[in-house]
Every structure is written in structure tokens, then in C-alpha cells.
Amino acid sequence: MCARSALALVLTLLPMAAASTSSAAAAPQTLTVLTYNIHHGAGADDDLALDRVARVVKDSGADVIGLQEVDRHYDTRSDFVDQAAWLAQRLGMHVVYGANLSLDPPRPGAPRRQYGTAILSRFPVVEAHNTRLPRPREGEQRGLLEADINVDGTAVRVLTTHLEHTSQTERLAQAEAINGVIEDSSRPTVLVGDLNATPGTREVGVLTRHLGDAWRAAGEGAGYTFDARSPHKRIDYVLTSSGIAARQAEVIDSEASDHLPVSVDITLP
């Protein structure tokens, strides 16, 4: 079955599942979402240890995880490992990957050297694709990775991104492009990522035109996520569409990366 047919089947089954019993219809569908910039598996000590990242993700109990700074056969800095596949296998999850940089291999016949984002999911991924974001100042290529996930019969759209860190001009252009992808969707939508922007900035304002900031709804305190050893600013976010309720939000203390992950428990509409 092709991805498009599978998605149609999921959407067709939703009314049948909802109508099966009144108790099932009344029960809210909950989901734990995590966003994590993993710094290609290098911790705050700059040592490569991808197993530490895996332990943080596993201990969080997250159902869906958006990852940034993920290497795939990229370089000696990550031992040329396909980090997305490695984490998926270690955690027993589905995975999709978005390559924003794709470079020639070190030798003929070797895999391309890639760097980008990934989505891990405990639930099946029905369809996925990566959209390259604009870079008007010719900064590093960034992207928006999107996955349609079947959460026990509920279709959820999950996206992860990592905006440019050197230019607000580029971040604003990238935020507007993301809005163009999400604004016409009626599906429950969750956008996670490292926005490289603090609350109150114009780029965060652009993204929260259509999405709500889960930390503001359910978090306590400042929610600082960077850097891991001395957190002093919030640049990692979980944003949700209307109808999705954020019940609890937590910044997880860990030095497995230079960023701290953010976990949010949500209820789907």
C-alpha cells in the first residue's frame, strides 16, 4: 500500500473508531512529546556518547520525539553512524529523517554524508517529507521535517525544525515559510524544535500566530533550555494547534547534549 493510500485508510477509519462505543469517544487521547537538540550525540563535556541520548529519551517516556542536529554517516565526529536509525533501533521506535545538508561521501560507494533532523515515534508513521526552508542571507540550509502519525486511530501531524542561529532575517523568513505549511491544515498539529530565538522575539511571534506555546500553558518557571550546564535562555519549544491541550511541561536536566530536552504531555482533540 502506498503512503497516500495508507493515509486515506487511516482517515476513513476515524469516524468508525469514534462511533464504536460512547466510552471510547469520551476518552481523551494523550501523548507525551519531546523536543531535543542532541548536538550529534556529543554531550556538554563534548564527548560522543549517543547511548546517553537514548537513555534520556527512554527515561522521558516520550511517545513522539523531534530531534535536531542529527548526523547520518556524516563525519568522524559521530563515527559516521546513522544516528537516526541507531536511536530508532535502540528505542524500538519508528523513525523518519530529514537531510538538510547532504554531502558527497568520503569514498566511492559509501553513503552520503547527511546532517539534519529526525522524528521518532512509538506510533506508526503514515507519511513523511522534508521541506527546505529559505535562507536569504545564504546561511546554513535548514528544513521542516513533517510526519503524519496514526495515534491509535487519531491522525496527528508532527513537525520538527531547527532555525538559523546567526541571522534573525533568516529565522523570520523560515518562520513565515513554516506558517505557510501549517496554516491551512485542519489536523491536530504539533511543531517542536530549536528555534534559536527567545520568547517575545518576532520569529516566535510569527510561529505563535497559529500555534500555542505549550510551556506558557503548562510549564513552571523560565523553562531555560540552553546551555545544559548553565541554562540561561529558552530556545527549544513545543507548539500546538488549537484543540490540543498541554497538561504538563518539563525541562529535563541532562548533560547528554549541550541543550536540555523539553517534555510536554498533551491531550488530543
Side-chain angles (χ1 to χ4, degrees), residues 106-124:
R107 61 186 182 280
R112 291 190 66 79
R113 301 169 51 228
Q114 296 181 328
Y115 173 74
T117 58
I119 294 173
L120 299 170
S121 174
R122 187 165 61 84
F123 301 97

Side-chain angles (χ1 to χ4, degrees), residues 82-202:
D82 181 342
Q83 295 187 321
W86 189 95
L87 286 167
Q89 183 175 24
R90 174 63 65 92
L91 296 167
M93 289 184 159
H94 304 277
V95 65
V96 293
Y97 185 80
N100 298 321
L101 299 182
S102 186
L103 310 178
D104 290 338
R107 61 186 182 280
R112 291 190 66 79
R113 301 169 51 228
Q114 296 181 328
Y115 173 74
T117 58
I119 294 173
L120 299 170
S121 174
R122 187 165 61 84
F123 301 97
V125 177
V126 179
E127 188 174 4
H129 64 271
N130 192 51
T131 301
R132 289 196 165 192
L133 297 176
R135 50 190 192 103
R137 295 291 179 87
E138 298 187 349
E140 181 182 300
Q141 181 64 61
R142 307 288 173 149
L144 178 68
L145 178 61
E146 175 181 353
D148 289 317
I149 296 174
N150 176 13
V151 182
D152 292 337
T154 299
V156 182
R157 192 183 198 189
V158 177
L159 310 96
T160 187
T161 194
H162 182 195
L163 301 188
E164 172 61 37
H165 66 293
T166 62
S167 168
Q168 186 181 46
T169 299
E170 294 216 341
R171 288 194 298 274
L172 283 167
Q174 291 161 1
E176 291 287 4
I178 292 171
N179 267 352
V181 172
I182 66 175
E183 63 185 353
D184 294 329
S185 174
S186 59
R187 284 170 289 170
T189 298
V190 180
L191 169 68
V192 307
D194 174 2
L195 304 185
N196 275 311
T198 56
T201 55
R202 291 172 60 196

Side-chain angles (χ1 to χ4, degrees), residues 200-222:
T201 55
R202 291 172 60 196
E203 48 270 55
V204 173
V206 168
L207 289 172
T208 51
R209 287 180 199 158
H210 303 290
L211 301 174
D213 183 347
W215 186 264
R216 289 193 179 277
E220 294 184 4

Side-chain angles (χ1 to χ4, degrees), residues 13-31:
L13 290 176
L14 292 182
M16 297 168 59
S20 59
T21 65
S22 58
S23 60
Q29 178 66 57
T30 60
L31 196 67

Side-chain angles (χ1 to χ4, degrees), residues 203-250:
E203 48 270 55
V204 173
V206 168
L207 289 172
T208 51
R209 287 180 199 158
H210 303 290
L211 301 174
D213 183 347
W215 186 264
R216 289 193 179 277
E220 294 184 4
Y224 292 151
T225 60
F226 186 81
D227 60 25
R229 284 188 167 169
S230 56
H232 59 280
K233 58 183 177 180
R234 180 161 79 98
I235 59 175
D236 301 271
Y237 295 78
V238 175
L239 306 178
T240 61
S241 61
S242 62
I244 295 179
R247 300 302 185 189
Q248 181 176 346
E250 175 190 9

